[in-house]
Amino acid sequence: MNAPTAAPPSRLAFVASDRPEAQAARARLAERYGSAAFEEAEVIVALGGDGFMLETLHAVLGRGAPVFGMNRGSVGFLMNDYNEDDLPARIAAADPTRIHPLQMDAVTQANEHHSALAINEVSLLRQTRQSAKLRITVDDRVRMEELSCDGCLVATPAGSTAYNLSAHGPIIPLDAKILALTPISAFRPRRWRGALLSHTARVRFEVMEGDKRPVSATADSYEVRHVARVEVHERRDLALTMLFDAGRSFEERVLAEQFAA
């Protein structure tokens, strides 16, 4: 026997990216279903691509409202297919996926302190033609004295199919309680491919020769330049909920991606 679905939500808030097709979809859906205020909605419906989904998830941090995305952008791995019919019932039958963000705490060469949250990844990247040199510490133990590279990142399971995958990092199932530590174009040690860490791990990057080899740090879209050190850990006290069509859960998409040609 199938488990009963939740009651269809009556208060939906529609938000859209700047793309014309997303704005047009928002106008049609709001006219058809009504549009609640963002702060009062039971469910946020995000219309756009994966980048806009990340923006929306950042906007709802701390609110608890789930987000149901529909693809009106160029990339839609985090989005459901676009369909205007029976939307409340579709949302009620959707599978929820809970994710936890990363906390980035960065200190610049000028001793300025910056903090930000990342849903996908925290990445460090060289700012000039010079390669970056990083010392990597995990849970207060130095694990790599010197990594010469274009950069390095820490990815969540939800973000493991994004920049992490492009950098040849592993795809991580959402329930694995693992973070990916992935180098970006490592030069020395040349054969190092990264590591899988417990979700409780605390990672610290120290930039070596930062005046000669400047490095930036980015938490999703929040960038800090000329960093001296960066600390990263998972925020288990914060959770976000994404909704995916029944039978097309995010877990299924991540699993299917591992068998993609």
Side-chain angles (χ1 to χ4, degrees):
M1 176 180 289
N2 293 331
T5 58
S10 59
R11 298 192 308 278
L12 302 176
F14 297 96
V15 294
S17 71
D18 293 335
R19 294 173 69 102
E21 57 267 43
Q23 290 292 324
R26 180 186 180 280
R28 290 194 302 271
L29 290 166
E31 182 177 1
R32 183 170 179 177
Y33 296 106
S35 186
F38 189 88
E39 298 77 13
E40 299 173 357
E42 295 174 75
V43 176
I44 309 297
V45 179
L47 305 164
D50 285 352
F52 185 70
M53 171 59 93
L54 288 178
E55 290 181 30
T56 305
L57 290 171
H58 278 281
V60 301
L61 266 171
R63 277 206 58 229
V67 179
F68 183 87
M70 288 199 290
N71 190 14
R72 292 283 84 185
S74 57
V75 179
F77 190 82
L78 300 177
M79 313 300 274
N80 298 287
D81 293 337
Y82 184 77
N83 189 328
E84 298 181 9
D85 296 332
D86 300 320
L87 188 56
R90 185 179 168 193
I91 291 173
D95 294 323
T97 293
R98 285 172 63 83
I99 58 175
H100 300 278
L102 298 174
Q103 170 93 25
M104 177 186 81
D105 296 302
V107 180
T108 69
Q109 299 286 343
N111 202 35
E112 299 168 336
H113 292 248
H114 299 263
S115 295
L117 296 172
I119 295 163
N120 271 359
E121 76 279 317
V122 172
S123 57
L124 280 74
L125 295 168
R126 64 185 175 99
Q127 292 179 205
T128 68
R129 62 181 178 81
Q130 296 273 18
S131 63
K133 287 189 176 182
L134 306 174
R135 179 182 292 118
I136 302 175
T137 301
V138 179
D139 293 331
D140 297 322
R141 181 174 177 181
V142 176
R143 291 294 181 177
M144 184 158 293
E145 193 63 46
E146 182 179 302
L147 172 66
S148 180
C149 56
D150 279 356
C152 196
L153 62 84
V154 179
T156 66
S160 68
T161 57
Y163 191 10
N164 173 72
L165 182 59
S166 298
H168 307 291
I171 297 175
I172 304 173
L174 287 179
D175 59 356
K177 295 184 178 180
I178 286 173
L179 303 176
L181 175 63
T182 302
I184 303 168
S185 299
F187 177 71
R188 188 177 292 114
R190 193 179 298 274
R191 297 194 190 326
W192 188 60
R193 294 294 180 262
L196 292 173
L197 306 176
S198 167
H199 71 105
T200 63
R202 303 180 77 91
V203 182
R204 183 168 69 249
F205 299 97
E206 296 171 82
V207 178
M208 305 167 69
E209 303 177 26
D211 53 342
K212 177 182 178 183
R213 305 171 184 272
V215 171
S216 67
T218 304
D220 286 347
S221 61
Y222 181 87
E223 184 183 31
V224 181
R225 295 178 71 80
H226 299 281
V227 295
R229 64 182 182 275
V230 177
E231 297 188 1
V232 183
H233 68 277
E234 187 184 63
R235 289 287 301 270
R236 296 297 294 182
D237 59 320
L238 294 176
L240 293 155
T241 301
M242 293 187 292
L243 300 175
F244 292 93
D245 283 324
R248 299 199 68 236
S249 68
F250 193 66
E251 289 88 344
E252 171 59 29
R253 296 178 191 207
V254 169
L255 182 60
E257 187 71 23
Q258 295 180 78
F259 292 90

